[in-house]
Amino acid sequence: MHVPDGFIDAPVSVAAGVAATAAVAVSLRGARRELDERTAPLAGLVAAFIFAVQMLNFPVAAGTSGHLLGGALAAILVGPYTGVLCVSVVLLMQGILFADGGLTALGVNILNMAVVTVLVSYAVFRVLLKFLPSGRRSVTVAAFAGALLSVPGAAFMFTLLYALGGTTDVPIGKVFTAMVGVHVLIGIGEALITAATVGAVIAVRPDLVHGAHGLATPLKLRVGGELVDAPAAAPVPAAARSTRALWLTGLATALVLAGFVSFYASTSPDGLEKVAADKGIDSKVQEHAAADSPLADYSVKDVDDARLSGGLAGAIGVGATVAVGSGVFWAVRRRRAQDPTASSTAAPSAG
């Protein structure tokens, strides 16, 4: 879904850049209410994890692959405003360091992959939780559905931008059918990854999952053949519970995925690349401004061993993303501390 330079003309790219800048500005302000001393460090980790998983292209059909977009995952784990910022940081790192996604198309990519995916997925997620039974399983199910629909939503946004400013003369109906069709399939992979990750975090630290705020499943005891609620234990203050173990585990997982598992990812073109090649959308694609970057195409320049080159590039990307992301969220957290009107926005109960 990374749009390169040359697919969308300059006026629409500029307009998309303005819209993306406005969305990021709103998200910076909104993230102050989502981030606290526990979740701010985790937001940088979420960005790094999304970067790592995006390197794992999975086969879809007919020589096409897909990869995680990450908007749904980020929104549910750390909140919608922070989620937009997480994916935007990933896109910035990919465009500057790895020549992935055009620099003039950065606004287009932020709209498609950050803003639209977060808006669609989080709206579906919140609506479903109003109707599903209260419980951790419902959060996971709602996360699956939100992620599933977010990917064709992003494909629809690309189609709209192409209709307004496409640089090639391809019937918009063909673009829409091809883009949405293949990205519905990719959405299944997105949904599985999102649900699995959200479910894993909820299992160990539900207090850190933004979408599960207020969720409480009481422990049941069998007394006289009947299940009754167990006496409530004295609550542990959230701020007193360390996030270090989760942070280190998440970082290690991201490094393994990007530095080792990525070598086995599908090499088939992703959904947008496949549609662009089949329909002729890529006939005016431009060379990336960072094509000579020492990390271009997720490989380290002058390292001949493909496995080592790709692994080093992935590890560097994870490190750079977690560093930049953590810096951004630390700064946002400081602004929250200085703003007496900002308060944590706990999501409503899942019931």
Side-chain angles (χ1 to χ4, degrees):
M1 186 63 78
H2 292 77
V3 179
D5 297 316
F7 276 22
I8 307 296
D9 65 20
V12 174
S13 293
V14 169
V18 171
T21 300
V24 169
V26 170
S27 297
L28 283 168
R29 187 168 185 83
R32 296 184 203 172
R33 302 189 299 274
E34 294 174 345
L35 296 172
D36 57 29
E37 63 276 4
R38 299 173 306 122
T39 56
L42 293 177
L45 175 63
V46 169
F49 184 80
I50 290 172
F51 173 89
V53 180
Q54 282 196 4
M55 293 183 66
L56 308 180
N57 280 46
F58 49 84
V60 178
T64 308
S65 70
H67 62 71
L68 182 81
L69 299 187
L73 178 62
I76 294 164
L77 288 180
V78 292
Y81 294 110
T82 308
V84 169
L85 299 180
C86 283
V87 182
S88 297
V89 167
V90 172
L91 293 170
L92 183 63
M93 292 296 98
Q94 290 170 332
I96 293 176
L97 296 180
F98 299 94
D100 189 10
L103 296 183
T104 63
L106 182 60
V108 171
N109 285 321
I110 289 176
L111 278 183
N112 289 345
M113 298 177 65
V115 179
V116 170
T117 57
V118 165
L119 288 177
V120 172
S121 64
Y122 201 69
V124 172
F125 176 79
R126 296 307 326 169
V127 168
L128 285 179
L129 285 187
K130 292 182 181 296
F131 298 96
L132 293 172
S134 178
R136 297 178 182 180
R137 182 176 299 178
S138 293
V139 174
T140 304
V141 170
F144 181 96
L148 176 65
L149 295 177
S150 70
V151 179
F156 175 81
M157 174 56 75
F158 169 80
T159 305
L160 177 60
L161 294 174
Y162 179 82
L164 296 173
T167 57
T168 52
D169 187 18
V170 179
I172 194 63
K174 292 184 177 180
V175 175
F176 174 80
T177 301
M179 282 294 293
V180 174
V182 71
H183 284 91
V184 166
L185 299 177
I186 294 173
I188 297 173
E190 178 98 12
L192 291 171
I193 294 170
T194 300
T197 305
V198 170
V201 178
I202 286 181
V204 294
R205 290 297 301 270
D207 59 302
L208 295 178
V209 178
H210 180 89
H213 283 179
L215 176 66
T217 303
L219 178 65
K220 298 287 187 178
L221 296 178
R222 186 173 295 278
V223 179
E226 296 183 358
L227 289 177
V228 298
D229 290 344
V236 178
R241 301 186 63 184
S242 173
T243 61
R244 179 177 299 178
L246 180 62
W247 196 92
L248 291 175
T249 300
L251 181 61
T253 302
L255 287 171
V256 170
L257 292 176
F260 177 73
V261 180
S262 62
F263 180 76
Y264 302 97
S266 173
T267 58
S268 298
D270 67 22
L272 176 59
E273 292 172 332
K274 179 66 172 175
V275 171
D278 289 348
K279 305 300 180 183
I281 297 174
D282 61 354
S283 61
K284 294 188 178 180
V285 66
Q286 300 172 6
E287 184 178 24
H288 199 285
D292 294 329
S293 165
L295 297 173
D297 297 323
Y298 298 93
S299 60
V300 178
K301 189 176 182 181
D302 298 328
V303 176
D304 295 330
D305 184 274
R307 185 191 298 267
L308 178 61
S309 179
L312 286 174
I316 291 170
V318 167
T321 303
V322 77
V324 172
S326 297
V328 169
F329 299 121
W330 177 81
V332 172
R333 167 68 186 130
R334 284 199 63 186
R335 291 293 300 273
R336 178 180 186 267
Q338 296 167 359
D339 183 359
T341 65
S343 60
S344 179
T345 53
S349 168

